[in-house]
Amino acid sequence: MAVIGSGPAGIYTAEALVKQSAEDVRVDVLERLPTPYGLVRYGVAPDHTSIKSIANYLRRVLELPEVRFLGGVTLGTDLSVDDLLGHYDAVVYCTGAMVDRKLGIPGEDLPGSVAATDFVNWYCGHPDVDPGRFTLDTSEIAVIGVGNVAVDVVRVLAKTADDLRSTDVPHDVLQRLAESEVKAIHMVGRRGPEHAKFTLKELRELGDLANADVCVRPDEAVVLGGDFPRQVQGNIKVLQSWAAREPIGRPRRLDVRFWLRPVEILGTERVEGLKLERTRLSEEGRVVGTGEFETLPVGMVLRSVGYQSVPLPGVPFSERTMTVPNEAGRVRDREYVAGWLKRGPTGVIGTNKSDAAETVRTLLADLEGRERGASEPIDTLLAERGVRPVTYEEWLAIEAAEAELARSLGRGERVKLVGLEAMLRACRV
Ligand SMILES: Cc1cc2nc3c(=O)[nH]c(=O)nc-3n(C[C@H](O)[C@H](O)[C@H](O)COP(=O)(O)OP(=O)(O)OC[C@H]3O[C@@H](n4cnc5c(N)ncnc54)[C@H](O)[C@@H]3O)c2cc1C
Ligand SMILES: NC(=O)c1ccc[n+]([C@@H]2O[C@H](COP(=O)([O-])OP(=O)(O)OC[C@H]3O[C@@H](n4cnc5c(N)ncnc54)[C@H](OP(=O)(O)O)[C@@H]3O)[C@@H](O)[C@H]2O)c1
C-alpha cells in the first residue's frame, strides 16, 4: 500500500492498515519533505510542547516492521498516480491542506498582508519559507479570524523571544522575534464571542500571558440568548471577565474584537491600515455590514481565516468543497483519501485517527478476495528518476542534528534546521 503524506492522517492510515488487515501488509509512506509528521512538526505552535509530543506516538508507527518512510518524494513531480497504481495494490492520499483561504478584499496582495499559513510556516521553520522572510518592524498588527490558528499566531506575537527560547523555533526566527517592535495586536472576529471558533483551553492561555494585557470591549462582549454548548459558555465567560478588567501596563496589548469584518487593506507601497465594517446577523443568520466603519492603523495584517487543500495532479478534486470527493474514503478503484484532504481543514490531530480508520475499513473491504502484493517495489523507478528517498534512519539523523544544535546554542531539546540543504547535509555524508 502507498500512503501519500506523513502528517497525522497518513501515519494513522499506515497504522490502521497494519492493525486492521488480516493478511500481511506492507506500507510505504511517501512524503514530499525529508521530515515526517506534517503539521505536528510544521503547524502545532512551538510552545505547545505537550501536543507536539504526539510525534512520539506517530514515530512508533513509522518504526513498525511493516512500514517504510520515504521522505523527499513528491506526488505530482517525482511520481504520478499511474506510477503509484502500477506499483501498489492501493493508494491513500493524505496530503492535507497547505494553502490559505482568500479574503477577496482590496489590498489583500499588498506587502505586509500575510497569510497565517506563511507566518506559521516561518516560525515553525518550514523549508518552503525563508527564515528572513518576516521583520516585525511595525508597532500594530491585525490578525483576522478567531480560530485556534489565530490564537496561536497572536500568542507567538505577544510572547517575548525569551519565552520561546527553549522551544524548537529556528534560531534566525528567534532573533527576528527578539527584535520585534510590535506593541499592539488586534484579533478581529466577524461575528460575536458566541460564534468564535477557538477552544476554551487555547483562549484561556491568552489571559495568562505575562507580556501582554488582554482587552475586550464591554459592548462587544455582550451576548444575547444563553443556550450555548459548554465550550461556548466557557469562552463567553472568559471574554466577559477580560472585558471587566483594566490593562496594567504590560509591554504589549492584545485587543480581542468582535462584530467587525475586514473590507479593505489600506496602503500604497505596503500595508498602512485595515478598514473594518461593523456587522450584525441578518434574519437568515448571515453576517451583514451595518455601514459603520473603523480603521486600525496597522502595518501588518495576518489573515487567519482557514486553510485549504490543493488539487493533486491526476486526482479528482472538488473546487466547491476544496476536497477530494469520496465515499467513506473511496475515491476511485484502488484510490482512497484521508485527513484534511478528505474532510476539509477542521478538527484536531485525534480526529484524523477515526477518519483514517474509516478509510482503511473501506479499502480493506474493497480489496477482499483480490490478488495482492504482486507489484514491484517503487525503489527501482525512483532510482531511475534520480530520486533518492530520505529513509527513516536519515530522518533520525536530522533529529539528532537538531538536538545537537540546541545543545550548542544553550537552548531546549531541539532547534529546527531550516532548508532542505541543511537537513540533507545533516543526514548524508
Ligand atoms: C497552524 C496549525 C496548528 C495546529 N495545532 C494543532 C494543535 O495544537 N492540536 C491539534 O490537535 N491540532 C492542531 N492542528 C490541526 C492538525 O494539525 C490537523 O488536524 C492535522 O495535521 C491534519 O492532518 P493531515 O495529515 O490531513 O495533514 P498534514 O498534517 O498537513 O500532513 C500532510 C502531509 O502531506 C505532505 N504532502 C503534501 N503534498 C504532498 C505531495 N504532493 N506528495 C507527498 N507528500 C505531500 C505534507 O508535506 C505533509 O507532511 C493545527 C493545524 C494548524 C494549521
Ligand atoms: N490547539 C489546537 O487544538 C489547535 C491549534 C490550531 C488549529 N487547530 C485546529 O485546526 C483547524 C483549523 O483552524 P483555523 O483557525 O485555521 O480555522 P477555523 O477554526 O475554521 O477558524 C477560521 C476563522 O476565520 C474566520 N473567517 C473565515 N472567513 C473569514 C472572512 N472572510 N472574514 C473574516 N473572518 C473569516 C472564521 O469566522 P466564521 O466562524 O465567522 O466563519 C473563523 O473565526 C481547526 O479545527 C482548529 O481547531 C487546533
Side-chain angles (χ1 to χ4, degrees):
M1 310 289 178
V3 170
I4 314 301
S6 67
I11 297 191
Y12 286 134
T13 297
E15 182 185 39
L17 282 166
V18 173
K19 282 196 178 161
Q20 286 186 35
S21 180
E23 296 176 39
D24 280 349
V25 66
R26 276 171 298 124
V27 186
D28 280 354
V29 179
L30 304 155
E31 163 61 52
R32 89 177 170 103
L33 299 175
T35 57
Y37 314 139
L39 285 166
V40 172
R41 179 172 161 92
Y42 290 124
V44 172
D47 56 344
H48 276 176
T49 40
S50 67
I51 302 176
K52 278 198 172 298
S53 67
I54 189 90
N56 293 330
Y57 180 90
L58 302 178
R59 84 169 56 230
R60 289 208 289 273
V61 177
L62 292 182
E63 286 171 1
L64 290 171
E66 297 89 344
V67 177
R68 269 203 315 174
F69 173 71
L70 287 84
V73 181
T74 304
L75 168 59
T77 51
D78 299 321
L79 292 173
S80 68
V81 168
D82 284 347
D83 294 331
L84 292 170
L85 292 174
H87 287 80
Y88 296 96
D89 293 330
V91 184
V92 188
Y93 307 114
C94 306
T95 51
M98 50 202 237
V99 299
D100 60 300
R101 289 192 8 221
K102 295 278 176 277
L103 283 173
I105 59 170
E108 192 165 8
D109 297 325
L110 276 172
S113 162
V114 174
T117 44
D118 284 342
F119 194 72
V120 168
N121 278 345
W122 175 68
Y123 66 62
C124 286
H126 194 291
D128 284 357
V129 177
D130 187 294
R133 167 81 181 273
F134 297 112
T135 308
L136 300 170
D137 57 358
T138 176
S139 61
E140 300 207 28
I141 291 190
V143 177
I144 300 175
V146 283
N148 277 332
V149 172
V151 171
D152 279 349
V153 163
V154 158
R155 204 177 56 253
V156 168
L157 286 168
K159 282 191 171 184
T160 64
D162 258 358
D163 293 334
L164 296 167
R165 208 182 144 71
S166 64
T167 71
D168 65 4
V169 165
H171 210 56
D172 291 351
V173 171
L174 192 72
Q175 188 56 38
R176 294 283 168 122
L177 291 170
E179 291 161 6
S180 166
E181 293 172 23
V182 175
K183 295 272 179 287
I185 305 153
H186 311 264
M187 182 163 74
V188 187
R190 64 175 168 180
R191 298 188 287 160
E194 67 274 40
H195 308 112
K197 296 267 174 68
F198 41 59
T199 40
L200 182 56
K201 183 170 160 286
E202 280 62 31
L203 179 67
R204 276 207 185 110
E205 256 183 283
L206 296 180
D208 297 334
L209 291 169
N211 194 47
D213 286 320
V214 184
C215 307
V216 177
R217 298 184 183 201
D219 56 328
E220 289 180 357
V222 173
V223 172
L224 301 175
D227 198 13
F228 299 112
R230 269 220 347 234
Q231 272 277 342
V232 175
Q233 281 180 30
N235 283 350
I236 296 170
K237 222 167 129 187
V238 168
L239 290 162
Q240 291 180 341
S241 74
W242 292 347
R245 71 188 195 194
E246 290 294 321
I248 58 165
R250 292 190 172 108
R252 291 187 178 135
R253 176 185 166 111
L254 165 61
D255 273 306
V256 189
R257 305 291 311 272
F258 294 100
W259 297 112
L260 290 168
R261 70 173 178 192
V263 288
E264 185 175 357
I265 300 176
L266 306 169
T268 43
E269 302 291 310
R270 54 167 296 159
V271 172
E272 289 165 18
L274 172 66
K275 185 172 173 186
L276 299 165
E277 182 178 21
R278 188 147 295 282
T279 55
R280 61 175 180 81
L281 287 188
S282 69
E283 274 176 17
E284 303 80 51
R286 279 186 311 111
V287 179
V288 290
T290 60
E292 187 190 327
F293 296 94
E294 135 173 20
T295 297
L296 298 176
V298 295
M300 188 172 182
V301 174
L302 274 157
R303 312 179 313 262
S304 181
V305 296
Y307 282 53
Q308 67 186 23
S309 297
V310 290
L312 290 167
V315 179
F317 192 77
S318 161
E319 295 289 338
R320 190 179 59 80
T321 60
M322 300 305 275
T323 56
V324 171
N326 68 92
E327 272 171 55
R330 182 190 309 105
V331 182
R332 292 186 296 214
D333 186 37
R334 300 198 291 130
E335 290 176 86
Y336 300 84
V337 64
W340 275 16
L341 183 64
K342 172 185 176 187
R343 61 174 203 280
T346 59
V348 291
I349 294 165
T351 321
N352 300 292
K353 190 166 187 172
S354 45
D355 180 304
E358 179 196 60
T359 295
V360 170
R361 276 194 301 277
T362 306
L363 180 159
L364 292 174
D366 288 354
L367 261 59
E368 196 158 338
R370 291 207 198 174
E371 190 199 353
R372 279 166 50 176
S375 19
E376 290 293 309
I378 199 82
D379 306 54
T380 312
L381 181 67
L382 287 172
E384 278 167 15
R385 294 191 179 158
V387 180
R388 182 179 156 196
V390 174
T391 63
Y392 183 72
E393 288 65 33
E394 286 174 325
W395 150 241
L396 292 182
I398 295 173
E399 265 198 319
E402 293 189 336
E404 181 48 39
L405 179 61
R407 260 191 304 278
S408 71
L409 294 167
R411 290 183 50 190
E413 253 174 57
R414 66 160 75 188
V415 169
K416 292 245 182 71
L417 290 179
V418 186
L420 295 177
E421 259 177 47
M423 286 194 256
L424 292 180
R425 258 200 322 272
C427 70
R428 289 178 178 163
V429 267

